[in-house]
Amino acid sequence: MMQPTEPVAEIRPALEPTFAPDDSGAELVIVANRLPIQRSTTPGAEDWRPSPGGLVSALTSVLQNRQGLWIGWSGAATDIAPPTSFEGIRLKSVDISAEEYDDFYLGFSNATLWPLYHDAIRTPTFHRTWWHTYQEINMRYAKAAAASVAEGGTVWIHDYQLQLVPNYLRQLRPDVRIGFFLHIPFPPTELFMQLPWRKEILTGLLGADLIGFQVPQAAANFSRIARRLLGATGTDASLIFDGRVIKVGAFPISVDCDFIAASAADPAVRARAREIRQSLGNPELILLGVDRLDYTKGIQQRIKAVSELFADGTLDPAKHVLVQVAVPSRETDAHYERERHDLEQVISEMNGDYGVLGNPVIHYLHQSMGFEELMALYLEADIMLVTPFRDGMNLVAKEYVMCRADGTGKLVLSEFAGAATELRGAFIVNPHDLDGIKEGIRMALNATPKEAKSRMLRMRRKIYRRDVYDWTEEFLNALQP
Ligand code: G6P
């Protein structure tokens, strides 16, 4: 039985909203945990450069066209203030202290919500102090948005770190249109119910006029729990709550297709791709994994599956090689530290067991990688392995497909990545099932060039139909009254 309807959460008195308007008057404001820029680590380079990825490019271009403003945290544990404008858009940074970073970022965002929303793959931790800081920081972002947005303007809030901002902002600025997009999965009722502050999070989100999710299942999970727990009425696509209509829907995010296609065709990138194959000893077949080093990504499980394929002779160390890129992430969290430790153990066992002198069976890079280097790797990857236990979308899968202009290459994809709802041409696997992953890889290995090409072209057509610019436009159009 479900819980009976619970009363609507109030804003805590300690967070009594007040804000001082500034002179931004922005028609469109993006609010995200991070600003779209990063401090450069290359000596002598410009201090700040744009964060990589199609999402930042698409949102930046829409802000450029609308005199917009981006509100976020600089991400830097440094006193150096980020610029107030960048590539034609205005930036407003939200300060987060070292203590708040622990409670808000590492704590509530990444040790409570992140695991809970990813099938509770790791046990979520619930601490009241983290929750209080989450409320305070969300109010900080809401006030920054309230101070900057023009009368009747639009505010688009992003992701799980900021789920209370829609309702806080509505209290401060009832005149503005508010959109919210969740980039990660939204869990089923059974898991969401664990959250001690479940009704506050739902109330926070319901402050928006439009709530977008990656896939229809997540949207349905949300609408169902909002009806059951808060007494919202209406359909999965249109909820009525607190006398307002809230649109709910799936807006699967995509990549910058033209940019990827152009990079993949760039002679310098192609030359680098050939060089990579050579430096790997010209193997007949390269398998590739590219992930943030995160326990949700199923990297160990995938490596174990490949390892067993070396063991049973399906793969041959003289001809086949796996490249695994694991981008460092949230390294001070104990779960992430443990994941790195265990992953490196599995990698070293695999090389110890099957590598030959001069030819390791797995090349492992624990580092972030420039976009062009990544493109070069995609170009040489005969089989791409994307096997997360749960993932909102997974853009690596889409980037890989967009690189394969000649229709070669095969994608092994987890059924629990949002991308699987669209990329039906992939070899779909259950990432919890070692034999299932092995079977998926075997099928990819044995697919005829004709079958593989028809699968790849099918996926390319699907992605080309809606790139990240279309995604931005669709969301903003749906947000209009
Ligand atoms: C996921 C989240 C993003 C987040 C990114 C990197 O993609 O949806 O909101 O920015 O991971 O994680 P980080 O903790 O470094 O921001």
Side-chain angles (χ1 to χ4, degrees):
M1 268 299 282
M2 287 298 310
Q3 288 283 118
T5 298
E6 295 179 22
V8 174
E10 304 278 342
I11 293 188
R12 293 183 338 130
L15 298 172
E16 195 58 48
T18 52
F19 70 96
D22 64 20
D23 55 6
S24 309
E27 289 299 331
L28 175 63
V29 176
I30 300 286
V31 188
N33 181 39
R34 290 177 186 275
L35 285 171
I37 54 172
Q38 294 177 343
R39 256 183 87 71
S40 176
T41 46
T42 320
E46 288 291 311
D47 270 359
W48 297 88
R49 55 187 162 84
S51 307
L55 172 65
V56 163
S57 316
L59 292 178
T60 301
S61 100
V62 82
L63 287 176
Q64 282 162 346
N65 296 334
R66 297 224 213 162
Q67 309 288 302
L69 172 80
W70 188 309
I71 295 173
W73 168 55
S74 70
T78 152
D79 306 335
I80 302 158
T84 53
S85 71
F86 194 80
E87 296 191 350
I89 65 168
R90 283 172 292 161
L91 305 177
K92 189 179 212 180
S93 90
V94 171
D95 292 333
I96 294 180
S97 72
E99 201 182 347
E100 289 168 342
Y101 171 85
D102 285 348
D103 291 356
F104 164 73
Y105 173 79
L106 288 177
F108 200 79
S109 297
N110 289 315
T112 306
L113 295 172
W114 181 267
L116 182 68
Y117 282 31
H118 287 88
D119 289 355
I121 291 164
R122 293 288 178 277
T123 308
T125 306
F126 302 111
H127 281 313
R128 283 165 292 186
T129 51
W130 290 0
W131 163 245
H132 294 149
T133 309
Y134 185 79
Q135 289 175 294
E136 277 160 28
I137 302 285
N138 271 245
M139 182 55 93
R140 196 172 296 164
Y141 279 86
K143 284 181 181 173
S148 317
V149 61
E151 178 76 27
T154 298
V155 179
W156 185 0
I157 300 151
H158 290 259
D159 229 355
Y160 62 103
Q161 304 93 344
L162 303 179
Q163 292 175 98
L164 302 177
V165 175
N167 189 43
Y168 287 168
L169 180 59
R170 179 160 300 284
Q171 314 290 322
L172 297 162
R173 291 290 305 271
D175 59 297
V176 302
R177 288 298 285 176
I178 304 173
F180 180 91
F181 184 79
L182 185 70
H183 291 256
I184 69 171
F186 190 86
T189 298
E190 292 75 13
L191 287 176
F192 189 76
M193 291 300 281
Q194 288 184 14
L195 189 63
W197 309 281
R198 55 203 183 188
K199 61 180 190 298
E200 286 86 345
I201 292 285
L202 291 176
T203 309
L205 290 168
L206 286 164
D209 296 294
L210 169 66
I211 309 175
F213 297 89
Q214 298 278 23
V215 292
Q217 184 61 54
N221 285 348
F222 173 79
S223 294
R224 213 164 288 152
I225 187 94
R227 284 194 298 260
R228 289 184 182 181
L229 205 54
L230 288 187
T233 55
T235 64
D236 281 2
S238 174
L239 289 170
I240 300 163
F241 178 71
D242 208 15
R244 299 168 30 249
V245 176
I246 297 117
K247 286 194 235 172
V248 178
F251 297 82
I253 198 168
S254 192
V255 292
D256 185 342
C257 296
D258 293 339
F259 184 67
I260 294 176
S263 307
D266 181 338
V269 173
R270 301 190 79 84
R272 174 65 191 142
R274 286 189 296 274
E275 201 176 275
I276 288 175
R277 187 172 286 263
Q278 215 166 28
S279 66
L280 294 172
N282 276 321
E284 257 174 38
L285 182 111
I286 299 175
L287 299 128
L288 175 66
V290 175
D291 309 82
R292 263 189 321 101
L293 205 169
D294 194 299
Y295 52 79
T296 59
K297 301 290 185 185
I299 311 175
Q300 286 186 55
Q301 195 79 342
R302 163 197 322 164
I303 288 173
K304 283 182 192 152
V306 173
S307 196
E308 289 190 15
L309 291 171
F310 276 110
D312 70 14
T314 306
L315 295 175
D316 176 350
K319 300 184 195 152
H320 304 138
V321 73
L322 171 63
V323 176
Q324 176 65 54
V325 179
V327 177
S329 183
R330 305 174 194 165
E331 288 186 284
T332 39
D333 178 275
H335 283 313
Y336 286 78
E337 250 178 85
R338 175 100 232 146
E339 183 64 21
R340 177 176 180 190
H341 176 270
D342 294 351
L343 172 65
E344 292 180 352
Q345 181 74 32
V346 169
I347 289 169
S348 120
E349 276 168 20
M350 179 167 156
N351 265 337
D353 289 344
Y354 308 109
V356 289
L357 283 178
N359 270 351
V361 280
I362 173 166
H363 291 253
Y364 164 66
L365 300 174
H366 178 246
Q367 46 196 262
S368 39
M369 186 163 275
F371 185 71
E372 293 188 344
E373 184 73 356
L374 196 57
M375 294 294 118
L377 267 176
Y378 288 151
L379 280 174
E380 285 310 303
D382 304 289
I383 300 183
M384 183 80 210
L385 304 174
V386 179
T387 57
F389 293 129
R390 178 63 70 187
D391 213 331
M393 174 54 62
N394 197 296
L395 292 179
V396 164
K398 290 188 173 179
E399 284 170 0
Y400 174 69
V401 169
M402 281 327 299
C403 270
R404 313 299 304 200
D406 60 1
T408 61
K410 298 154 189 179
L411 173 65
V412 175
L413 179 62
S414 161
E415 65 183 277
F416 302 121
T421 58
E422 296 172 89
L423 302 183
R424 306 310 298 176
F427 296 88
I428 304 283
V429 300
N430 172 357
H432 298 277
D433 174 8
L434 262 178
D435 288 334
I437 305 174
K438 285 164 68 181
E439 188 49 30
I441 298 174
R442 249 189 237 112
M443 282 174 66
L445 282 166
N446 295 333
T448 62
K450 191 166 168 238
E451 184 203 341
K453 187 166 185 175
S454 112
R455 283 171 172 266
M456 184 54 78
L457 294 180
R458 186 176 161 199
M459 294 192 283
R460 289 177 61 80
R461 279 194 299 273
K462 181 83 188 175
I463 301 176
Y464 248 124
R465 238 174 270 148
R466 265 185 80 258
D467 73 3
V468 70
Y469 293 89
D470 299 315
W471 172 79
T472 307
E473 203 176 300
E474 271 173 28
F475 187 92
L476 287 172
N477 286 342
L479 180 53
Q480 291 322 304

